[in-house]
Amino acid sequence: MLFGNHKQKLTEKKMPQISLKIFTLEQYKKLKSTAMKKLTQLLFFSAVVLLLSNCSKSGSSDPEDENPTPTPPITTNEVDFWLTKGDQTVLLTKQSTILGFTTTANAYPNIDVDNSQSFQTVDGFGYTLTGGSAQVINSLNATKKQELLQDLFSANGIGISYIRISIGASDLNATSFTYDDMPIGQTDTDLSEFNLAPDLTGVIALIKEILIINPNIKIVATPWSAPVWMKDNNNFIGGSLQTQYYDVYAQYFVKYLQAMQAQDINITAITPQNEPLNPNNNPSMYMTAAEQGNFIKNHLGPSLVTAGLSTKIIIYDHNCDQPAYPISILNDAAANNFIDGSAFHLYGGDISAMSTVYNAHPTKNLYFTEQYTSSTGSFGGDLKWHLKNVIIGSMRNWSKNALEWNLANDGSYNPHTTGGCADCKGAITVITSENYTKNVGYYIVAHASKFVPAGSTRIASNISGNLQNVAFRTPAGKIVLIVENDGASQTFNIKYNSKWVTTTLDAGAVGTYIW
């Protein structure tokens, strides 16, 4: 206001009129002094007016701000990064590192993600809910049990979307049984004694709780053995299905699927036999490719159709060292007509065998249904191997799912049958009714299941050095990249749409990146 008032006075007040006359020396000095004051006043207020004018143009009263230094752009976080380290110092933790896409060149290796190339859709990730797993999870008190189930199966947890269960007992039950066991020497060809009773309070009760959390979860069901009265050795271990019982055994599957439907449980798929080339487990049953093909095309397939059941038939369900087994069955057009795809484990062979089968029959689906972690294994070693082979490897070789073996057991790796797996480490160890711990299997699956929901599509990405990886596009349009560093600590770029993000993974670490 001071400058404004003075400016107004200066413009409104007239300069004094000076007429020509003779002045005394004293008058001259007085007039000179007055004139100098007026001139100084004029110069001062002229400078003020000029300064105010410049300030209004520049938005600043500081002349040095007329050409300010540009403010650097703020880096925004465009990529979420979840990390697990092999030394367990970081476990499935979202990182605070700000990752923004850039075009500034560097010399680091690239993982190129290409959304324009699409491959198989994903059905899900998860575990086998063995009878033993259900037993120990059901032993938790109500609060801890619900906490665990929410963590495992809800969208706010790790979002398991696919489970495997046994038809009858697996080797991770306390005892061997089927749903139609008879006294030695007796048979039940009309299956009148069929009953789900051995699992009603265990696996079946737990599945019902899981379905409340995730009603869309997919379930593949697999027998470890037919009822022993159907087998040629009348024993839970080994032996083969007698051809005279092929029709009866097909009806056994129909009865099972219908009984599960009556429990409001829909089975997505079945396999005719777990590990058909392994007759040594308890329970187990040997089944050649020719026998399985015959059983499917002449008995199981037609029986499901007649019963109006849409449950998928998935063949083989064994190791990657025998791709000729599923290929030979798929080569039979009559059997092929009933088959959705083939399932694999990786206790033998190489994961690339899945692509071998895909290349032979590209219209048929592929599944990865089992791999265990051992009580003697190390966290870091298992994390690396399973991410590289089970999660990344199976997906890069056309699998629609990736399942680890047992979901849970107790601190002594129980329960299991006599002769069953005594060193299988569950993803969860239930210690007491109020306490459980998470093992390496939990983190192996979680790095995929939490971020890649059912319905996602695998997209293209290149393997760069030791940076094993696989990429997906989710139904919501997010891009997910899972990277396992199989070598030394590495800084690298994730390149997408001609821009890239630079990040680092320690040796043996796993990162999931989402944008």
Side-chain angles (χ1 to χ4, degrees), residues 186-249:
Q186 297 184 30
T187 63
D188 180 31
T189 55
D190 63 358
L191 301 176
S192 60
E193 300 301 313
F194 181 96
N195 201 313
L196 294 177
D199 274 331
L200 284 175
T201 59
V203 169
I204 290 172
L206 190 57
I207 291 174
K208 290 180 179 181
E209 293 189 64
I210 293 168
L211 287 170
I212 294 172
I213 300 170
N214 181 1
N216 298 315
I217 197 163
K218 291 180 171 60
I219 305 172
V220 57
T222 304
W224 263 240
S225 174
V228 297
W229 53 267
M230 297 186 190
K231 299 170 69 174
D232 60 8
N233 69 344
N234 202 40
N235 197 304
F236 276 112
I237 301 174
S240 297
L241 181 66
Q242 297 183 69
T243 55
Q244 70 195 66
Y245 292 120
Y246 274 27
D247 268 332
V248 179
Y249 195 41

Side-chain angles (χ1 to χ4, degrees), residues 312-386:
K312 299 173 182 176
I313 298 175
I314 300 172
I315 61 173
Y316 189 44
D317 208 3
H318 206 171
N319 289 333
C320 286
D321 57 355
Q322 296 290 333
Y325 187 114
I327 290 174
S328 67
I329 299 174
L330 292 170
N331 285 343
D332 184 331
N336 185 300
N337 188 51
F338 295 110
I339 295 168
D340 173 80
S342 310
F344 293 85
H345 307 173
L346 193 54
Y347 304 113
D350 187 88
I351 196 66
S352 62
M354 298 183 75
S355 283
T356 300
V357 177
Y358 174 83
N359 292 334
H361 291 277
T363 63
K364 296 300 178 179
N365 292 315
L366 293 159
Y367 301 88
F368 191 93
T369 49
E370 181 186 319
Q371 195 68 27
Y372 95 130
T373 51
S374 171
S375 61
T376 59
S378 69
F379 185 99
D382 285 341
L383 183 73
K384 283 177 57 176
W385 192 93
H386 284 252

Side-chain angles (χ1 to χ4, degrees), residues 5 50 97 127 156 167 190-191 295 310 316 318 322 384 389 394 412 414 435 439 478 489-490:
N5 287 341
L50 180 62
T97 308
Y127 306 89
N156 293 325
I167 300 175
D190 63 358
L191 301 176
F295 176 61
S310 60
Y316 189 44
H318 206 171
Q322 296 290 333
K384 283 177 57 176
N389 292 284
S394 72
S412 299
N414 290 317
N435 193 17
N439 302 319
K478 292 281 189 180
S489 180
Q490 178 70 66

Side-chain angles (χ1 to χ4, degrees), residues 222-479:
T222 304
W224 263 240
S225 174
V228 297
W229 53 267
M230 297 186 190
K231 299 170 69 174
D232 60 8
N233 69 344
N234 202 40
N235 197 304
F236 276 112
I237 301 174
S240 297
L241 181 66
Q242 297 183 69
T243 55
Q244 70 195 66
Y245 292 120
Y246 274 27
D247 268 332
V248 179
Y249 195 41
Q251 289 304 311
Y252 179 88
F253 279 90
V254 171
K255 283 260 191 181
Y256 169 74
L257 295 171
Q258 292 172 336
M260 292 296 274
Q261 284 181 342
Q263 296 291 328
D264 296 319
I265 299 171
N266 291 314
I267 302 299
T268 309
I270 53 172
T271 72
Q273 176 60 41
N274 171 68
E275 298 189 346
L277 299 180
N278 174 16
N280 304 309
N281 204 357
N282 182 16
S284 60
M285 187 170 78
Y286 189 77
M287 182 179 278
T288 67
E291 290 170 338
Q292 190 164 122
N294 177 20
F295 176 61
I296 290 168
K297 73 178 178 181
N298 294 316
H299 307 278
L300 181 60
S303 294
L304 295 188
V305 171
T306 300
L309 295 167
S310 60
T311 307
K312 299 173 182 176
I313 298 175
I314 300 172
I315 61 173
Y316 189 44
D317 208 3
H318 206 171
N319 289 333
C320 286
D321 57 355
Q322 296 290 333
Y325 187 114
I327 290 174
S328 67
I329 299 174
L330 292 170
N331 285 343
D332 184 331
N336 185 300
N337 188 51
F338 295 110
I339 295 168
D340 173 80
S342 310
F344 293 85
H345 307 173
L346 193 54
Y347 304 113
D350 187 88
I351 196 66
S352 62
M354 298 183 75
S355 283
T356 300
V357 177
Y358 174 83
N359 292 334
H361 291 277
T363 63
K364 296 300 178 179
N365 292 315
L366 293 159
Y367 301 88
F368 191 93
T369 49
E370 181 186 319
Q371 195 68 27
Y372 95 130
T373 51
S374 171
S375 61
T376 59
S378 69
F379 185 99
D382 285 341
L383 183 73
K384 283 177 57 176
W385 192 93
H386 284 252
L387 258 296
K388 177 181 178 179
N389 292 284
V390 175
I391 303 298
I392 295 170
S394 72
M395 288 289 136
R396 292 187 73 94
N397 285 280
W398 298 96
S399 188
K400 292 179 69 67
N401 70 351
L403 309 181
E404 286 284 308
W405 178 214
N406 56 315
L407 178 56
N409 52 17
D410 68 16
S412 299
Y413 309 104
N414 290 317
H416 60 79
T417 62
T418 301
C421 184
D423 66 342
C424 289
K425 179 190 289 185
I428 302 295
T429 298
V430 175
I431 301 170
T432 69
S433 64
E434 299 179 347
N435 193 17
Y436 61 84
T437 58
K438 300 173 182 178
N439 302 319
V440 65
Y442 173 92
Y443 299 100
I444 291 165
V445 170
H447 264 280
S449 62
K450 185 175 178 64
F451 311 103
V452 185
S456 298
T457 302
R458 180 171 70 91
I459 59 175
S461 64
N462 67 299
I463 299 294
S464 180
N466 290 311
L467 300 171
Q468 306 295 317
N469 66 84
V470 64
F472 304 91
R473 178 180 62 250
T474 73
K478 292 281 189 180
I479 304 299

